[in-house]
Amino acid sequence: MKRHQLSRRTLLRGVAGGTSVALALPLLEAMLNSNGTAHADGTNLPRRMITWHFGNGVALVDPADVGKGNRWAPAETGPNYPLTPQLAALEGVRDYCNLLTGFDIKASSKHRRGHHDGCAGFFSGYPFIELPHAENSYSSKFGGPSIDQVAAAAVGAQTFLPSLQLAVSKRVITGEGPTLQYLSHKGPDQPLPPFFNPQEAFAALFESFVPPDDPTKGPRVDILDAVREDVKALKLRVGSADKIRLDAHLASVEQIKKQIETLPPACTLPGMPIETNMDIDGAEPIELVNAAMVEIIIEAFRCDLTRIVSIQFSGSVGYHIFKSLGHAKGHHDMTHDTADNEAVDQCTIKTVECFAVLLNRLKETVEGDGNLLDNSVVILGSDAASGYTHSVFDQPCIVAGRGGGTLRYPAEHYHSPSSENTSDILLACLQSVVPEATEVGATNADGDGYSNTPCAALLA
């Protein structure tokens, strides 16, 4: 019996209020080759990149002796490395998490300005550009594109959105220039603002939920109702496994919509009540917003709506507060007071728990003969090793995922014996998504961040 095949670009279509709507589909068996390792037309499964940032680094081992380092990585290196309390939440995805320590942000050699170097240098390989700062302690912008935008420039045209920028905590510093305000940058003068509101991020990907002719009245006609007839027709053309996946996909889209609607309400435009990332009794719902953003990413990847995502979980010099931990002080201030070192450590543990939500969902989501984490690279970094020291040496760094088979698996803890360049990490990650890439970082006189040597410890 001839196996029916579908194009990866097949959409569910319908009409809502006289307007044509479309809903992307997840990867179905009918879109794959016979063994599930590639698309039916022979092209490879998509590879994806996520950059994930949290601000202010981590706690000190001993606040009375900063020379003892930070609470983050185990002393043991190699495979099967033990998880410290700070990394314990990664147990279920340990084999996917390459832990990289002992690296230096070479792009910081020109300035040495702590948080500014830590964010711009780590995520781009370029030194930042200083801006006038008469009213601020310091101000800067990225000196070049962030690594996610280098990837988006190469593969973004293949998807509905070239890239998606998301943020969780709203306590972002805005007075020291774009470097600390944004994570994703196309170039020095092109920062990309993120979505803080999960509903707005959802609408960017599934905008047919809101009729374009009257956005103030809400979703009169649900897109799932609009495409119902097309779903019935498609089910006649696919096998039993794909029928189950279709039903699961539609249920997932509806569940994401409901999950977002449970977040606290706020009016961001006059007369337009929407659900958003709104404080509850003065506290940010960080865990709820993080979970909602994760589900949006999963659906975006399943439907190949974008392959490049940046997540600013908390900002550089961020003043986020984990009220769920009983804290009342902004995180940045806590990191600068050694008396709060234990509370900072609690924040690190909570932050990694939120990061693990993303990794576990990627691993749980089947794609072809593997899962989304198999075909992704996720780069975790911060803007300092410790907010107290402002050091950019040995900043927290995890590279998760297999990058379509290009990255080391099972993962290892690698400690650089020679303070290798963090840009080597970026190049290895970039090549997992853009195999033809040969270099990253600054190539001019400020080229200490330049790399044409991918980190060998990361390669499969």
Side-chain angles (χ1 to χ4, degrees):
M1 189 176 200
K2 185 177 180 181
R3 183 173 178 267
H4 182 76
Q5 294 184 347
L6 290 174
S7 166
R8 180 64 187 94
R9 297 301 172 200
T10 302
L11 299 173
L12 295 173
R13 301 183 184 278
V15 177
T19 301
S20 296
V21 298
L23 180 64
L25 286 168
L27 195 64
L28 303 175
E29 287 184 353
M31 300 172 182
L32 296 169
N33 63 12
S34 59
N35 55 16
T37 57
H39 290 136
D41 63 3
T43 57
N44 292 328
L45 298 180
R47 298 178 185 177
R48 306 166 181 96
M49 174 183 286
I50 301 174
T51 53
W52 204 95
H53 174 274
F54 71 99
N56 307 316
V58 299
L60 301 167
V61 171
D62 182 355
D65 184 357
V66 297
K68 290 186 176 179
N70 304 318
R71 301 184 190 181
W72 178 250
E76 298 86 348
T77 58
N80 301 313
Y81 60 88
L83 295 175
T84 61
Q86 294 73 28
L87 302 175
L90 301 176
E91 178 62 43
V93 287
R94 176 205 301 260
D95 285 347
Y96 286 90
C97 292
N98 283 287
L99 184 62
L100 300 160
T101 56
F103 283 74
D104 189 32
I105 300 177
K106 304 299 186 183
S108 71
S109 61
K110 181 180 179 180
H111 299 291
R112 296 294 181 186
R113 289 294 305 185
H115 299 283
H116 293 259
D117 281 314
C119 187
F122 181 86
F123 285 99
S124 74
Y126 287 79
F128 65 78
I129 298 171
E130 185 176 356
L131 296 173
H133 51 88
E135 299 179 0
N136 308 305
S137 59
Y138 206 78
S139 188
S140 74
K141 60 184 179 180
F142 268 49
S146 52
I147 195 66
D148 61 300
Q149 289 308 301
V150 177
V155 304
Q158 302 173 36
T159 54
F160 172 61
L161 289 179
S163 63
L164 179 64
Q165 291 70 240
L166 304 173
V168 176
S169 171
K170 304 184 300 296
R171 306 293 197 267
V172 175
I173 188 169
T174 60
E176 294 191 25
T179 293
L180 302 191
Q181 189 171 357
Y182 307 108
L183 177 59
S184 188
H185 301 252
K186 281 189 174 182
D189 298 306
Q190 292 180 286
L192 299 177
F195 291 107
F196 289 89
N197 179 348
Q199 191 176 47
E200 291 178 358
F202 184 83
L205 293 165
F206 303 100
E207 58 189 351
S208 294
F209 274 105
V210 179
D213 62 318
D214 191 1
T216 66
K217 293 185 179 180
R220 292 194 307 262
V221 180
D222 196 305
I223 192 173
L224 300 183
D225 289 331
V227 300
R228 198 172 302 280
E229 291 304 314
D230 203 23
V231 172
K232 291 179 181 178
L234 183 58
K235 283 185 175 181
L236 296 176
R237 302 164 57 195
V238 299
S240 57
D242 279 346
K243 290 176 184 177
I244 294 173
R245 289 183 181 179
L246 272 173
D247 289 335
H249 172 57
L250 299 179
S252 178
V253 172
E254 180 65 20
Q255 180 59 36
I256 294 172
K257 182 166 170 278
K258 290 179 178 178
Q259 182 179 359
I260 292 172
E261 289 173 346
T262 64
L263 293 173
C267 295
T268 60
L269 294 174
M272 183 180 174
I274 63 172
E275 308 300 329
T276 186
N277 181 351
M278 181 66 176
D279 289 6
I280 304 173
D281 296 328
E284 293 184 292
I286 291 176
E287 292 92 335
L288 290 175
V289 173
N290 179 69
M293 292 301 195
V294 165
E295 293 307 317
I296 289 170
I297 293 168
I298 297 300
E299 207 60 30
F301 281 178
R302 289 178 70 237
C303 295
D304 203 24
L305 297 173
T306 192
R307 297 176 186 174
I308 310 298
V309 176
S310 67
I311 308 174
Q312 186 172 262
F313 177 77
S314 56
S316 300
V317 192
Y319 283 83
H320 50 289
I321 300 173
F322 285 110
K323 284 290 183 73
S324 61
L325 298 175
H327 299 168
K329 191 174 181 179
H331 188 260
H332 179 255
D333 287 346
M334 286 170 44
T335 63
H336 285 62
D337 187 344
T338 55
D340 291 323
N341 195 59
E342 295 305 319
V344 172
D345 195 41
Q346 293 173 3
C347 292
T348 302
I349 293 170
K350 175 60 71 173
T351 296
V352 175
E353 288 175 359
C354 290
F355 180 62
V357 172
L358 170 64
L359 298 188
N360 280 296
R361 287 292 291 117
L362 289 168
K363 181 183 175 184
E364 293 165 1
T365 305
V366 174
E367 182 175 59
D369 64 344
N371 58 63
L372 288 179
L373 194 52
D374 287 324
N375 294 316
S376 301
V377 55
V378 187
I379 310 168
L380 173 145
S382 189
D383 58 337
S386 161
Y388 186 77
T389 65
H390 289 100
S391 172
V392 298
F393 172 72
D394 201 17
Q395 283 190 191
C397 179
I398 294 172
V399 173
R402 299 184 66 183
T406 65
L407 301 178
R408 187 177 297 276
Y409 179 88
E412 299 186 8
H413 172 202
Y414 172 73
H415 182 80
S416 173
S418 57
S419 302
E420 292 167 64
N421 190 354
T422 54
S423 294
D424 295 348
I425 298 172
L426 296 186
L427 183 55
C429 294
L430 178 64
Q431 288 179 341
S432 74
V433 180
V434 187
E436 63 272 20
T438 59
E439 60 185 6
V440 297
T443 57
N444 53 25
D446 298 323
D448 286 350
Y450 174 79
S451 174
N452 59 6
T453 55
C455 177
L458 271 177
L459 303 179

